[in-house]
C-alpha cells in the first residue's frame, strides 16, 4: 500500500510504541473512535492509547505516534496557529508554517505539529501565544 503522493513529506512508519515499547498495528480507526472517521485508517499501539492517523489513500503516518498528552499539545498549537492563516487574507498556510519554522530555527520541511515531540510543541506554544509572532518574519 506504500504509495508516493506528491507534496506529502513522509514520516517513518511506527513499529513500536515510544511510550510503552509495545508493537504498533495498522488498523481501522474504529478501534479508537468506535466507528470509522475520515479515511478510516491509523497506526495504533497494541497496549496504550498512542495512535496516529494516515494521509488519505496511503499508509503514510500524519506524524509521530501520540499519547493523550501529545495530542492535547497539538490541539492547543492548532487552535492558535490555524486562525492566523484561515482568517487572515494576507498570509497563506505555507507562509505561516514557514514563519513558524524560521522562529523555531528548523527547516521548513520539518515544521509539522504532527512531527513535533513534546519539547518542540511547548516551544511552538510559547511562540504562538505571542499575538504577532507571524508578523515581520520571512517565510522563505
Amino acid at each position: 500500500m506504500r504509495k508516493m503522493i506528491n507534496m506529502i513529506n513522509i514520516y517513518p512508519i511506527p513499529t513500536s510504541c515510544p511510550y510503552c515499547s509495545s508493537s504498533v498495528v495498522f488498523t481501522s480507526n474504529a478501534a479508537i473512535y468506535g466507528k470509522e472517521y475520515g479515511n478510516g485508517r491509523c497506526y495504533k499501539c497494541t497496549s496504550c492509547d498512542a495512535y496516529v492517523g494516515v494521509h488519505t489513500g496511503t499508509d503514510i503516518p500524519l506524524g509521530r505516534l501520540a499519547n493523550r498528552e501529545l495530542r492535547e499539545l497539538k490541539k492547543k498549537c492548532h487552535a492558535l496557529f490555524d486562525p492566523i492563516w484561515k482568517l487572515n487574507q494576507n498570509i497563506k498556510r505555507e507562509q505561516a508554517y514557514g514563519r513558524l519554522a524560521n522562529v523555531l530555527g528548523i527547516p521548513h520541511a520539518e515544521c509539522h505539529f504532527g512531527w513535533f515531540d513534546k519539547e518542540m510543541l511547548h516551544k511552538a506554544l510559547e511562540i504562538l501565544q505571542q499575538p504577532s509572532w507571524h508578523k515581520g518574519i520571512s517565510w522563505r
Side-chain angles (χ1 to χ4, degrees), residues 61-81:
L62 292 168
R64 68 177 56 237
L65 213 58
N67 62 6
R68 180 177 306 278
E69 179 184 21
L70 208 62
R71 291 190 302 271
E72 290 303 316
L73 285 168
K74 288 192 287 186
K75 286 177 192 174
K76 288 178 182 178
C77 284
H78 274 292
L80 295 170
F81 178 83

Side-chain angles (χ1 to χ4, degrees), residues 101-112:
N102 286 344
V103 176
L104 286 169
I106 62 173
H108 295 189
E110 294 174 17
C111 193
H112 304 281

Side-chain angles (χ1 to χ4, degrees), residues 4 11 16 20 22-23 32 41 49 57 69-70 73 78-79 81 85 88 90 95 105 107 112 118-119 127:
M4 291 300 291
Y11 196 85
S16 73
C20 71
S22 296
S23 60
I32 298 159
R41 307 302 292 166
D49 74 339
E69 179 184 21
L70 208 62
L73 285 168
H78 274 292
F81 178 83
W85 64 270
N88 185 340
N90 297 320
Q95 293 170 317
H112 304 281
K118 183 176 161 181
E119 180 183 345
I127 293 163

